[in-house]
Amino acid sequence: MAATDTHRAIDAVWRIESPRLIAGLARIVRDIGLAEDLAQDALVAALEQWPQSGVPDNPGAWLMATAKHRAIDHFRRNTRLERKHEELGRELVTKEMAVPNFDAAIDDDVGDDLLRLIFTACHPVLSPEARVALTLRLLGGLTTDEIARAFLVPEATVAQRIVRAKRTLTKERVPFEVPRGAELAARLSSVLEVIYLVFNEGYTATAGDDWMRPALCEDALRLGRILAELAPQEPEVHGLVALMEIQASRSRARVGPSRQPVLLLDQNRALWDQLLIRRGLAALDRAEKLRAENLRAEKLSGAQGPYTLQAAIAACHARARTAEETAWPRIAMLYEALAQLAPSPVVELNRAVALAMAFGPQAGLELIDTLMAEPSLENYHLLPSVRGDLLAKLGRFDEARPEFERAASLTRNARERELLRQRAAACARESAPPQPQ
Amino acid sequence: MRFMMIVKSAERSGPPPKALMDAIAKLSDDAAQAGTMIGGGGLGPTALGARVRLSGGKVTVTDGPFSEAKEVVGGYAQFELKSKEEAVESAVRFMELHKKHWPGWEGETEVRQMFGPEDFAKTA
């Protein structure tokens, strides 16, 4: 194997092994910054030795063994450091002797270690940007440069964020553990938020961007699937996975031949990825069954979680073979449940669209009209755009026209602006009799 | 990037050793836990299959078994991974299990990238 091939193989091994390696080390040294440094040391050793010796049969165990030796060296060298470190060093040596089988050391509770790592990297003491960067770095195996390219920020910024995040975790003495009891729900929602943020960053990236951006969807899906394996009893984890799988199933259909965005109802459904849809529907099924079980055990309130609800909405589209077959009354109902759970004018706007599709434009318009004074939607082009559409469907063209014009002035997308202007012009033609100038 | 792993070998009468099946089950669990394996399955004997071929303007159907074929597809798996190297590494691990648990077995895993949205964007 040529040296460059070996380097590429090492990259691949690193991508596969590093999260488990860092998680296992963090359990022992109780510091994810140090754990990552030790894992990096092991990687450097691999880069030095493997080109000559070849990739070992069990590369994960090799890396872990090497990192552990470095850890022992580290603690022995720092005997004059604070007493806490000394204790840790002794614990490490004891553990080392108690667990000579490095294979087993990696496999032992690796799931728990990974879960601890996810919860620590997504700790609310960190800013959302820091959580995202740390999670992608430690659990996604992405390099600082890759994260920077994906989020369109300089590499130094990401490096800074990661260094500061690690420092904060140490300073705030954030324990390396899975939260329990009442704390779990809030902490879990922080983890889910980070994963969905990563997904959306990739999902909203338009075609033609650096490929690292759309790849974020896959990174988020991978993280979500890992979490679903680690915390299989949490309905919202499966709900989030379902939502991401179903949304990702449409990636291919979302962009037209000249890279223009294609709206959901106009998409060629033959391009939807049926494998991801099947996985998404299965995850949604698990989420809903778990919730039903929890309800029976009276562990939870009756409310479906926000990710599961959004996944259920996405599933209504995924199940419809044509746009006409969409179960709009069910979607309207799900948006109503979502609005009760997490009230938001944007959710209401979506509910209005679903109501209009289910029960006619008048039903949607009545809800839209209650949103017109909503300050947060003041500059949101979709509000006048939807209102204009419903008015036009009701034949009220002279009211529809100014709505389309307003929407056109608000949108930042040139193609959409053109489309809205055309609709305004069409309304002007339909208005009869013409308004005296 | 999505990859299809296609496992080919000579068609055998004997079932694979239990140790191999256990090791593969463990590897699949690990891959599912790592969020990388998104689907896959094993294929039945070619005796239960058929080939539908277009050649010389003529469509012909031949029932199995495909006794003339040296190696046939026995199973497949779909992975979502960052690079071809990562896919190759996964395939190497899969074949290492065969080496360890099924002495004398020969075969190959073909690693093929599947088209994703980014490839459609490129050709557009």
Side-chain angles (χ1 to χ4, degrees):
Chain A
M1 206 186 259
T4 49
D5 287 344
T6 311
H7 280 185
R8 293 169 72 171
I10 294 171
D11 275 353
V13 167
W14 177 252
R15 191 83 71 178
I16 296 168
E17 301 293 345
S18 66
R20 300 202 290 175
L21 193 59
I22 295 166
L25 289 165
R27 168 166 50 85
I28 302 170
V29 302
R30 299 273 149 191
D31 180 322
I32 63 173
L34 178 58
E36 202 204 354
D37 290 344
L38 292 167
Q40 288 283 351
D41 285 351
L43 175 66
V44 170
L47 285 165
E48 282 165 8
Q49 296 178 31
W50 294 1
Q52 276 87 48
S53 64
V55 178
D57 280 350
N58 191 336
W62 191 99
L63 289 168
M64 183 54 112
T66 307
K68 282 189 165 184
H69 288 306
R70 299 288 156 119
I72 294 164
D73 289 349
H74 171 89
F75 286 116
R76 280 184 185 152
R77 264 202 315 272
N78 291 308
T79 42
R80 269 189 285 169
L81 273 180
E82 57 183 296
R83 176 149 186 82
K84 181 185 155 220
H85 273 195
E86 262 184 51
E87 280 166 13
L88 283 171
R90 268 206 298 279
E91 187 197 345
L92 190 71
V93 176
T94 321
K95 270 182 199 259
E96 178 71 20
M97 288 189 292
V99 194
N101 181 348
F102 295 116
D103 245 352
I106 291 182
D107 286 337
D108 272 357
D109 294 332
V110 69
D112 289 348
D113 289 342
L114 279 172
L115 203 52
R116 290 186 191 108
L117 188 59
I118 292 179
F119 274 106
T120 308
C122 297
H123 198 281
V125 76
L126 305 173
S127 72
E129 296 82 20
R131 284 180 231 167
V132 164
L134 205 55
T135 303
L136 284 175
R137 167 96 182 176
L138 299 180
L139 288 138
L142 269 68
T143 63
T144 312
D145 170 52
E146 286 170 337
I147 300 168
R149 277 164 56 198
F151 284 88
L152 310 175
V153 292
E155 189 182 348
T157 308
V158 174
Q160 266 279 326
R161 267 179 207 164
I162 291 174
V163 168
R164 277 208 209 115
K166 287 184 199 160
R167 210 178 288 152
T168 305
L169 289 174
T170 309
K171 200 179 78 202
E172 302 284 331
R173 297 176 187 276
V174 170
F176 186 68
E177 64 187 27
V178 176
R180 293 183 191 285
E183 208 197 342
L184 179 64
R187 293 282 303 276
L188 184 65
S189 83
S190 172
V191 173
L192 298 178
E193 188 192 336
V194 167
I195 296 176
Y196 197 44
L197 213 103
V198 172
F199 182 85
N200 273 324
E201 190 69 27
Y203 201 62
T204 52
T206 53
D209 276 337
D210 194 330
W211 62 269
M212 272 312 297
R213 285 173 59 68
L216 284 176
C217 288
E218 285 182 20
D219 291 319
L221 263 168
R222 192 160 164 172
L223 290 170
R225 291 169 188 150
I226 292 171
L227 191 61
E229 291 283 332
L230 296 176
Q233 293 312 308
E234 295 295 335
E236 274 291 84
V237 174
H238 298 290
L240 173 61
V241 170
L243 176 61
M244 294 192 297
E245 300 265 18
I246 297 174
Q247 283 186 321
S249 78
R250 301 181 199 134
S251 300
R252 221 174 286 180
R254 290 173 71 227
V255 182
S258 48
R259 301 191 175 182
Q260 79 280 21
V262 182
L263 297 176
L264 180 60
L265 296 181
D266 301 327
Q267 287 173 9
N268 176 0
R269 295 179 183 224
L271 294 178
W272 288 1
D273 187 325
Q274 292 301 321
L275 175 62
L276 293 189
I277 288 178
R278 273 202 305 281
R279 292 180 58 89
L281 294 178
L284 176 60
D285 191 50
R286 271 195 294 279
E288 286 173 343
K289 282 203 174 104
L290 279 170
R291 176 184 154 265
E293 278 170 27
N294 285 342
L295 267 183
R296 270 197 299 279
E298 291 180 357
K299 272 199 271 183
L300 270 181
S301 66
Q304 192 88 266
Y307 293 111
T308 307
L309 279 173
Q310 290 175 80
I313 292 165
C316 288
H317 295 294
R319 287 194 188 102
R321 278 172 302 172
T322 62
E324 292 71 33
E325 282 179 38
T326 311
W328 289 109
R330 180 167 160 74
I331 293 178
M333 191 195 77
L334 289 164
Y335 270 121
E336 194 177 342
L338 190 60
Q340 281 171 12
L341 193 68
S344 130
V346 173
V347 170
E348 287 296 319
L349 181 57
N350 280 310
R351 184 160 79 88
V353 173
L355 283 172
M357 296 299 283
F359 307 111
Q362 186 60 43
L365 194 60
E366 282 163 20
L367 180 54
I368 293 269
D369 287 345
T370 68
L371 297 172
M372 295 308 284
E374 182 59 54
S376 65
L377 293 181
E378 199 181 344
N379 293 314
Y380 192 51
H381 71 278
L382 283 179
L383 181 62
S385 166
V386 169
R387 187 162 194 270
D389 182 59
L390 297 181
L391 286 167
K393 279 180 179 149
L394 290 168
R396 291 157 64 176
F397 297 107
D398 32 347
E399 289 166 85
R401 187 177 46 86
E403 294 291 351
F404 285 128
E405 282 165 358
R406 179 166 163 69
S409 73
L410 288 175
T411 181
R412 269 176 254 158
N413 182 311
R415 228 173 262 275
E416 202 171 3
R417 189 178 310 124
E418 182 54 31
L419 190 77
L420 288 163
R421 287 210 177 115
Q422 284 169 14
R423 293 206 66 181
C427 286
R429 284 195 299 277
E430 292 282 352
S431 306
Q435 300 291 311
Q437 293 300 305
Chain B
M1 297 159 86
R2 191 176 294 181
F3 292 89
M4 174 77 87
M5 313 282 191
I6 306 155
V7 186
K8 299 173 184 174
S9 68
E11 205 165 15
R12 287 169 182 270
S13 48
K18 183 172 180 308
L20 177 66
M21 295 313 286
D22 291 347
I24 290 175
K26 166 97 172 53
L27 192 71
S28 302
D29 280 354
D30 285 351
Q33 202 167 66
T36 53
M37 188 171 136
I38 58 168
L43 305 187
T46 62
L48 300 175
R51 275 181 178 157
V52 183
R53 183 175 171 78
L54 171 62
S55 180
K58 205 167 158 260
V59 175
T60 51
V61 178
T62 315
D63 280 326
F66 313 139
S67 45
E68 80 290 356
K70 203 165 149 273
E71 293 193 330
V72 298
V73 178
Y76 71 96
Q78 285 183 57
F79 281 78
E80 272 183 356
L81 301 165
K82 274 275 170 201
S83 65
K84 184 186 140 195
E85 287 72 28
E86 207 183 326
V88 168
E89 176 63 26
S90 300
V92 166
R93 289 179 182 200
F94 183 71
M95 297 310 265
E96 291 285 348
L97 292 184
H98 285 73
K99 183 172 108 186
K100 188 170 168 191
H101 295 294
W102 201 349
W105 183 87
E106 288 192 353
E108 68 178 28
T109 297
E110 190 171 314
V111 177
R112 299 283 296 274
Q113 192 187 341
M114 296 176 74
F115 281 139
E118 64 280 10
D119 304 290
F120 282 82
K122 262 179 236 152
T123 54

